[in-house]
Amino acid sequence: MTGTTGTLVLAGTPIGDVADAPPRLAAELETADVVAAEDTRRLRRLTQALGIHTTGRVVSYFEGNESARTPELVEALLGGARVLLVTDAGMPSVSDPGYRLVAAAVEKDIKVTAVPGPSAVLTALALSALPVDRFCFEGFLPRKAGERLGKLREVAGERRTMVFFEAPHRLDDTLAAMAEIFGAERRAAVCRELTKTYEEVKRGPLGELAVWAAEGVRGEITVVVEGAPDSGAEELDAGELVRRVQVREEAGERRKEAIAAVAAAAGLPKREVFDAVVAAKNVARTGPGDVKGLL
């Protein structure tokens, strides 16, 4: 690439308290050639709160126009522009628009940098009082109940602390589903309105949190859930895992669900139980069609 190629800047914005805005954010907003914002109205309120004005071109960049807008922004970058990407709150690309633009810029050898800022994921982890030495971010769960349960079964054996985003009107259903799949005693924390006036962190077993949420919860929600316990997993050999799957199948459960349930109960990845079932079928010299579609 030539020396005239521009730079893509991903900038973190406050998740609640505007005073948390990183110092560099104001300077980048004032000097960027193009500011791509998830919501231009919220961007205007942010600049007013910071007491600054944007001098570059402001364009919208949200889920609905992300695919169509990306080529235009890449073209500006190739022309030497400094493009600043901001979302409504937190870091771009983290459950927010940005991934497509970053990938497209990297593909064209365009420099990508960041202005680090507040993160609901890390803030919730720090406040949860749960282990944070290892964690994973699962974003938003599916809206449909069946798909949500399926996703939770997939991660039931995850031993790292898990972080989820959720809409307030679905929180009670989500916590109830988590209690069903992970166990009602699994520890969790519901972090609401982080850094805002009515910030609240509710900690406790999933079963108790589900009852609490049934009364109705408002605001931006981040849920932190303790990872699966590792006790007892090593005691189950492949033969025992296969036997437990067979017992569930004989009781009328579909093999796919039986594998997921056995994995969750044993605190193991679903793939490990699946591999044990496949190996057992191979030993029995049955056709590959018997295991097709288990996952």
Side-chain angles (χ1 to χ4, degrees), residues 170-180 188 190 206 209-210 212-213 223:
R170 290 195 298 268
L171 180 62
D172 56 343
D173 289 337
T174 291
L175 291 172
M178 287 179 172
E180 175 185 345
V190 176
L206 281 168
L209 291 175
W212 165 76
V223 181

Side-chain angles (χ1 to χ4, degrees), residues 127-269:
L127 296 177
S128 70
L130 295 172
V132 296
D133 52 330
R134 298 176 68 240
F135 67 89
C136 61
F137 175 58
E138 293 294 331
F140 284 94
L141 289 167
R143 297 181 180 181
K144 295 183 178 178
E147 295 177 2
R148 182 167 57 240
L149 286 171
K151 179 62 179 178
L152 290 173
R153 289 191 183 100
E154 287 181 13
V155 300
E158 174 59 65
R159 296 179 185 174
R160 295 172 294 180
T161 298
M162 295 171 284
V163 183
F164 302 84
F165 286 162
E166 190 51 279
H169 62 278
R170 290 195 298 268
L171 180 62
D172 56 343
D173 289 337
T174 291
L175 291 172
M178 287 179 172
E180 175 185 345
I181 302 301
F182 297 159
E185 297 304 313
R186 181 85 70 90
R187 293 186 301 164
V190 176
C191 304
R192 186 180 72 87
E193 294 289 89
L194 290 173
T195 78
K196 299 178 183 177
T197 302
Y198 298 103
E199 175 181 285
E200 179 182 21
V201 180
K202 190 75 172 178
R203 307 175 184 88
L206 281 168
E208 292 182 11
L209 291 175
V211 173
W212 165 76
E215 299 177 3
V217 179
R218 301 176 66 181
E220 300 286 337
I221 306 293
T222 304
V223 181
V224 185
V225 182
E226 181 181 33
D230 59 7
S231 59
E234 294 79 5
E235 300 175 5
L236 299 179
D237 59 19
E240 176 62 17
L241 293 174
V242 172
R243 188 192 70 78
R244 293 188 179 193
V245 171
Q246 290 174 338
V247 168
R248 286 180 171 273
E249 283 190 275
E250 290 170 0
E253 197 166 355
R254 291 196 307 168
R255 187 175 298 169
K256 181 177 180 180
E257 281 69 31
I259 287 175
V262 170
L268 293 170

